[in-house]
Amino acid sequence: MKKEVILFSATALVFGLSAKNKESKPNVIVILADDLGYGDVSANGSKTIKTPNMDRLANEGIRFTNGYASSATSTPSRYALLTGMYPWKNKNAKILGGDAPLLIDVNQQTLPKMMQHAGYKTAVIGKWHLGMGNGNTNWNENIKPGAKEVGFDYSCLIAATVDRVPSVYIENGNVVGLNPNDPIEVNYKKNFEGEPTALTNPEMLKMKWTHGHNQSIHNGIPRIGFQKGGKSALWVDEDMADYFVDKVKNYLVENKDKSFFLYYGLHQPHVPRTPHARFVGASGMGPRGDAIIEADWCIGELLKNLEKNGLLENTLIIFSSDNGPVLDDGYQDDAVEKLGNHKPAGPLRGGKYSLFDAGTHVPFFVYWKGEIKPAVSDAMVCQMDLLASLSKFVEQPLKGNFDSQNVLPALLGKSKKGRKELVLEADSRLAFRSGDWAFIPAYKGPVRNQTGNEVGNLPENTLYNLKTDVGQTENVNSKEKTQLKKIEKRFFEIVDGFYKSDIQ
Ligand code: NG6
Ligand code: CA
């Protein structure tokens, strides 16, 4: 390692970045997996799946045992990550369709804009799911507003999820590989005349659906939403990991002499799970496990290429997942049948869509070769905190209101103190974590949704002590009346004015 880098880094750890070192600011990479559970990573205790590259980030960096997404689904979590705001304060921060307009206000403060102001080049590669265009998008023209207006100099994206149309890559706002003679059209309400769907043409399917996912068929896989045209631009699901890894590799080469902020949105293990043939059978758990192994490979490629370009020692890497795990999320892919003894949520209760802990309590690792001393941290940290924390890291002040808190010392392993409390969201319902306590107000509605996951609707207020009962097995609401009252009061204080729901 070069001498300047050592001196610089030591300063950075104590004071953030000092002005005289502005040129050699460390790069920052945020990797966000899609639906990866706390227990899906071997570093978090799984003996049933091997994730050596995720483990490297965890075991050679800080492995957080209380790392959170702000929400139990993708769009709201990603909104909080990029804006530093609680997603439940924006009524549109719900799971978005592929044709949804840009969710983030173009005038809003964002993490990538803050990094730009601090002199960074910024990029987002992979899953977006924050809407793009104005809601009446012409996919055959440059699509805006989008990632660029949110603060990313470069973007190469899927608009929403792999199970939602349009099934095309969008680079800097343009659909990649589009033939102007076969224009692309998207509709989430009705099909285009004569276009096959999973209902009219089940013989075209190589993967079957269990719920939802019975509209347009691309690559033999039925999707949510209808798409016409754009045939030459359709992605091949099995090649998606390689496609985005190539984009990441190119980005590193092109930007190795600059300071950059890269947000890499992995698409695994979200449905449809379609790992490349190289990974099929790798986990023994069917496509879900294989997709996790593929995601782990993607991280390995990123690390290898950082090393190759001499960037590893000058790059802070933060790894997490947008929400907790789910098995049957709408396709017949043996996720339930081949699970064996694997526990995607580890010791936690619930999963994706859930107010129980596993909805939002996710893998969370921070790695910086040579700078961060390996440790396990129990500090509570949330993805939403990256805005305030990284603003300290790059010494770029923030403006206005935000819910993001500065937990930089915890992220860098300098302190065991994280945030004290955090409001969590699932399907527009809220729960509250305060210290070791987890509080879920009483909600009407089904106990489980169609995935089989417990969503957190229970007829009475529940209180759990996660310190002694990480699996939320014992509701102590009647034993801990004083505690419950205190926590309830504080929860309503925070959410007051924003909070309208089917709370009982
Ligand atoms: C649900 C989909 C699910 C998944 C989820 C979004 C159905 C029946 N289910 O509506 O498959 O796409 O939305 O997941 O359509 S997320 O991780 O991007 O939030
Ligand atoms: Ca997700």
Side-chain angles (χ1 to χ4, degrees), residues 145-196:
K148 184 159 191 247
E149 286 70 21
V150 168
F152 290 105
D153 301 315
Y154 172 78
S155 64
C156 186
L157 304 168
I158 62 169
T161 55
V162 190
D163 55 351
R164 282 173 174 78
V165 302
S167 310
V168 295
Y169 298 117
I170 299 164
E171 193 169 30
N172 293 326
N174 300 316
V175 171
V176 178
L178 190 65
N179 176 350
N181 299 322
D182 180 29
I184 174 171
E185 287 180 72
V186 173
N187 195 315
Y188 269 69
K189 294 204 181 78
K190 65 178 211 317
N191 195 13
F192 300 94
E193 218 182 299
E195 292 296 311

Side-chain angles (χ1 to χ4, degrees), residues 434-474:
S434 170
D436 290 324
W437 300 99
F439 166 68
I440 310 177
Y443 287 103
K444 293 187 189 118
V447 171
R448 292 173 193 273
N449 69 7
Q450 53 197 350
T451 67
N453 277 1
E454 279 187 300
V455 291
N457 296 328
L458 292 173
E460 56 175 352
N461 288 337
T462 48
L463 186 69
Y464 301 97
N465 184 341
L466 295 181
K467 184 119 195 159
T468 53
D469 180 23
V470 74
Q472 298 179 304
T473 59
E474 192 197 353

Side-chain angles (χ1 to χ4, degrees), residues 49-273:
I49 200 156
K50 292 261 167 314
T51 51
N53 295 299
M54 295 177 196
D55 293 2
R56 179 171 172 199
L57 301 179
N59 296 334
E60 296 174 27
I62 314 283
R63 179 171 76 82
F64 285 91
T65 62
N66 284 300
Y68 281 85
S70 64
S71 175
T73 56
S74 155
T75 301
S77 274
R78 288 163 203 267
Y79 176 83
L81 167 75
L82 291 190
T83 65
M85 295 296 289
Y86 273 130
W88 43 271
K89 292 187 177 176
N90 181 339
K91 65 177 177 18
N92 297 321
K94 310 263 159 66
I95 299 174
L96 294 179
D99 63 343
L102 180 65
L103 173 65
I104 298 172
D105 191 308
V106 293
N107 298 313
Q108 217 168 324
Q109 168 163 259
T110 66
L111 173 55
K113 279 184 185 166
M114 183 278 289
M115 296 301 278
Q116 280 178 333
H117 292 145
Y120 279 72
K121 289 276 158 211
T122 60
V124 52
I125 295 175
K127 180 176 179 176
W128 179 241
H129 211 187
L130 289 161
M132 53 175 72
N134 55 14
N136 190 16
T137 298
N138 180 346
W139 300 89
N140 305 287
E141 293 172 353
N142 186 263
I143 303 154
K144 55 181 182 231
K148 184 159 191 247
E149 286 70 21
V150 168
F152 290 105
D153 301 315
Y154 172 78
S155 64
C156 186
L157 304 168
I158 62 169
T161 55
V162 190
D163 55 351
R164 282 173 174 78
V165 302
S167 310
V168 295
Y169 298 117
I170 299 164
E171 193 169 30
N172 293 326
N174 300 316
V175 171
V176 178
L178 190 65
N179 176 350
N181 299 322
D182 180 29
I184 174 171
E185 287 180 72
V186 173
N187 195 315
Y188 269 69
K189 294 204 181 78
K190 65 178 211 317
N191 195 13
F192 300 94
E193 218 182 299
E195 292 296 311
T197 70
L199 295 176
T200 59
N201 294 69
E203 77 288 350
M204 286 173 64
L205 302 181
K206 66 179 181 194
M207 191 190 278
K208 297 202 172 95
W209 51 282
T210 55
H211 49 265
H213 308 106
N214 56 19
Q215 301 178 335
S216 284
I217 306 167
H218 298 135
N219 189 25
I221 300 169
R223 318 274 167 169
I224 305 172
F226 303 101
Q227 179 185 330
K228 184 185 173 192
K231 294 271 183 299
S232 60
L234 290 175
W235 66 50
V236 176
D237 303 74
E238 293 81 353
D239 296 339
M240 192 174 283
D242 289 325
Y243 181 83
F244 284 130
V245 160
D246 276 347
K247 296 291 170 186
V248 167
K249 280 188 193 171
N250 292 343
Y251 188 78
L252 298 185
V253 171
E254 281 161 21
N255 291 277
K256 66 177 171 196
D257 299 323
K258 304 174 186 129
S259 296
F260 61 82
F261 169 69
L262 169 64
Y263 168 35
Y264 180 20
L266 295 169
H267 66 283
Q268 306 101 332
H270 193 282
V271 295
R273 298 159 181 141

Side-chain angles (χ1 to χ4, degrees), residues 34-35 74 127 270 322-323 352:
D34 193 1
D35 296 2
S74 155
K127 180 176 179 176
H270 193 282
D322 67 341
N323 52 253
K352 183 176 183 179

Side-chain angles (χ1 to χ4, degrees), residues 338-395:
K338 294 198 171 152
L339 187 66
N341 295 324
H342 181 59
K343 293 199 165 42
L348 313 176
R349 180 167 174 182
K352 183 176 183 179
Y353 311 110
S354 186
L355 289 177
F356 285 114
D357 209 32
T360 47
H361 191 160
V362 287
F364 201 120
F365 314 136
V366 180
Y367 171 91
W368 186 2
K369 189 175 180 192
E371 295 296 339
I372 288 182
K373 277 225 283 310
V376 177
S377 174
D378 296 335
M380 183 176 9
V381 293
C382 178
Q383 291 155 16
M384 185 172 72
D385 297 330
L386 292 183
L387 175 73
S389 306
L390 292 175
S391 98
K392 288 285 178 220
F393 186 62
V394 301
E395 291 192 328

Side-chain angles (χ1 to χ4, degrees), residues 265-326:
L266 295 169
H267 66 283
Q268 306 101 332
H270 193 282
V271 295
R273 298 159 181 141
T274 53
H276 188 272
R278 302 195 299 281
F279 302 100
V280 171
S283 68
M285 271 180 235
R288 184 174 186 279
D290 297 347
I292 293 173
I293 308 268
E294 183 187 66
D296 189 70
W297 171 84
C298 293
I299 294 168
E301 287 300 294
L302 169 69
L303 292 173
K304 221 193 302 179
N305 282 279
L306 282 169
E307 218 146 32
K308 203 162 122 187
N309 289 293
L311 296 169
L312 196 58
E313 274 102 344
N314 197 32
T315 304
L316 176 72
I317 304 176
I318 299 151
F319 172 79
S320 196
S321 171
D322 67 341
N323 52 253
V326 59

Side-chain angles (χ1 to χ4, degrees), residues 413-428:
K414 298 278 145 192
S415 161
K416 293 265 164 168
K417 273 227 304 268
R419 46 162 65 233
K420 288 198 183 75
E421 54 188 20
L422 178 66
V423 177
L424 301 162
E425 188 261 353
D427 201 13
S428 307

